[in-house]
Every structure is written in structure tokens, then in C-alpha cells.
């Protein structure tokens, strides 16, 4: 099939994956030890397990003859590009990662990277969030990126403080109930 009819990129540097949040210019890629290990495990799995098995399928499919209408071959090549793109992304992120262990935080009464904070918003709803790295943020699980607006409002706050959060919907006040760190 002619590449003119296939919606694929010819660029090799397409490392802007949809789940990847960009880091602000001049900042470091802070990450917890658990997040770092999770990214390393994913990279290792892609290199040692997933990529070799897809390469085996692609070489088998290529040996079957006509590649232009061979679904296994076409899908396998596409999957290889996805795996290679993810591996490049993970390698770059791990190279610039700065591991910060929240267990070693000396100021445990103040909210910093790795802290778990419980707060109440002005609607009276209680929330518990943990400030983590960009690559390990899961807002629905209560893990927010250290560059998110909520985390920036909470950083350096202490129990009993009230911080101001500016949102597109207006200004919200958050009352800090508890700041804790893993032991």
C-alpha cells in the first residue's frame, strides 16, 4: 500500500506521547523511588520481552511472502514503532530523572514533594492527595503532579494553614488538615 494513503508519521522523534506531560523549561524531572523503579521495569519489559516477541512475529510474517496485504506484518511493524517510541521516551525521562525519597524529608510538618496532604475545599469536600512526579501522576488515584496548580498551592503549607488556589472557575480556599510522609 502506498504511504500516501496511510496515516503514519515519517518522523522518528515522535516522543510526544499523549500520556506524557511536558516539564516546565529549566526544571528537573523529580520522581519518587517507586515511580523510578516502575518506569525502569516498563523499559526493561519492553526491551527484553515485548520487542523480541514482536520482532519474531514480524520476521515470521515477512517470510510468508507478500507483505503489502499481510496483516501480521503490517500490524507488527506498527507495534514495533510504538514500542521503539515508548522506549526512547522512557530512556530520555529516566536519564533526566532526579529521584527524591520522601522518607528522607527533614521538614515533616510542611508539604513538599512526596507528601500526602488532606485538605477541605470551600465546598466542604475533603480530599487526600500525594504530590508525586510528572510521570507517576494519577489524579483519580489521588496522586498529583508537583507542577499541577493544586500541588503548587499546597507546597510549603502546614497543618492548619489555609492556602489560595486559583482556578479557571475562580478562587478556592483549601484548609490543610494533615500533612504526612511515608515512614
Amino acid at each position: 500500500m502506498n504511504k500516501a494513503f496511510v496515516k503514519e508519521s515519517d518522523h522518528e522523534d515522535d516522543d510526544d506521547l499523549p500520556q506524557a506531560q511536558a516539564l516546565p523549561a529549566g526544571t528537573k524531572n523529580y520522581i519518587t523511588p517507586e515511580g523510578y523503579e516502575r518506569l525502569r521495569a516498563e523499559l526493561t519489559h519492553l526491551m527484553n520481552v515485548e520487542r523480541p516477541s514482536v520482532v519474531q512475529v514480524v520476521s515470521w510474517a515477512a517470510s510468508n511472502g507478500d507483505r503489502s496485504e499481510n496483516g501480521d506484518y503490517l500490524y507488527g511493524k506498527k507495534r514495533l514503532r510504538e514500542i521503539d517510541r515508548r522506549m526512547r521516551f522512557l530512556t530520555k525521562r529516566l536519564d533526566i530523572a532526579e529521584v527524591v525519597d520522601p522518607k528522607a524529608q527533614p521538614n515533616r510538618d510542611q508539604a513538599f514533594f512526596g507528601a500526602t496532604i488532606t485538605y477541605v475545599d470551600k465546598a466542604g469536600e475533603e480530599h487526600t492527595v500525594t504530590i508525586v512526579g510528572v510521570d507517576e501522576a494519577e489524579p483519580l488515584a489521588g496522586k498529583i503532579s508537583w507542577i499541577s496548580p493544586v500541588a503548587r498551592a499546597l507546597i510549603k503549607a502546614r497543618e492548619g494553614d489555609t492556602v489560595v488556589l486559583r482556578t479557571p472557575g475562580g478562587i478556592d480556599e483549601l484548609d490543610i488538615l494533615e500533612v504526612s510522609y511515608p515512614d
Side-chain angles (χ1 to χ4, degrees):
M1 178 180 271
N2 189 331
K3 275 209 173 210
F5 299 106
V6 180
K7 186 177 180 180
E8 290 181 4
S9 173
D10 287 332
H11 304 294
E12 289 298 318
D13 291 339
D14 286 341
D15 292 339
D16 54 335
L17 298 173
Q19 69 267 25
Q21 185 175 4
L23 293 169
T27 61
K28 297 181 180 180
N29 183 24
Y30 297 112
I31 191 166
T32 63
E34 296 82 18
Y36 185 83
E37 285 306 316
R38 193 170 65 239
L39 291 182
R40 277 194 44 176
E42 181 184 353
L43 179 60
T44 303
H45 176 77
L46 288 173
M47 282 190 323
N48 298 335
V49 178
E50 190 132 355
R51 192 174 195 290
S53 72
V54 173
V55 166
Q56 186 176 14
V57 169
V58 168
S59 66
W60 167 82
S63 69
N64 288 337
D66 185 17
R67 297 177 187 169
S68 64
E69 294 183 15
N70 186 331
D72 288 327
Y73 179 79
L74 295 174
Y75 173 76
K77 292 293 282 185
K78 181 180 179 193
R79 182 67 186 132
L80 274 177
R81 283 192 299 275
E82 292 168 357
I83 291 170
D84 289 343
R85 186 177 304 126
R86 182 68 180 166
M87 285 172 47
R88 278 192 310 274
F89 172 79
L90 290 171
T91 302
K92 286 178 184 178
R93 283 301 241 241
L94 289 170
D95 284 347
I96 63 169
E98 184 160 325
V99 179
V100 178
D101 191 356
K103 295 174 185 172
Q105 178 57 251
N107 295 344
R108 292 182 163 272
D109 63 330
Q110 227 174 346
F112 290 108
F113 184 86
T116 299
I117 301 114
T118 303
Y119 66 89
V120 176
D121 59 15
K122 69 180 177 186
E125 294 180 34
E126 189 173 303
H127 303 274
T128 301
V129 295
T130 302
I131 300 174
V132 295
V134 172
D135 297 318
E136 51 190 331
E138 295 178 41
L140 297 177
K143 293 181 176 185
I144 60 172
S145 165
W146 66 274
I147 62 172
S148 70
V150 174
R152 287 182 178 216
L154 294 173
I155 296 243
K156 295 187 180 177
R158 290 182 159 85
E159 290 180 20
D161 287 356
T162 299
V163 297
V164 176
L165 172 64
R166 299 184 195 291
T167 65
I171 294 177
D172 197 359
E173 291 184 350
L174 310 177
D175 296 322
I176 311 303
L177 300 177
E178 182 183 8
V179 176
S180 64
Y181 288 90
D183 292 330

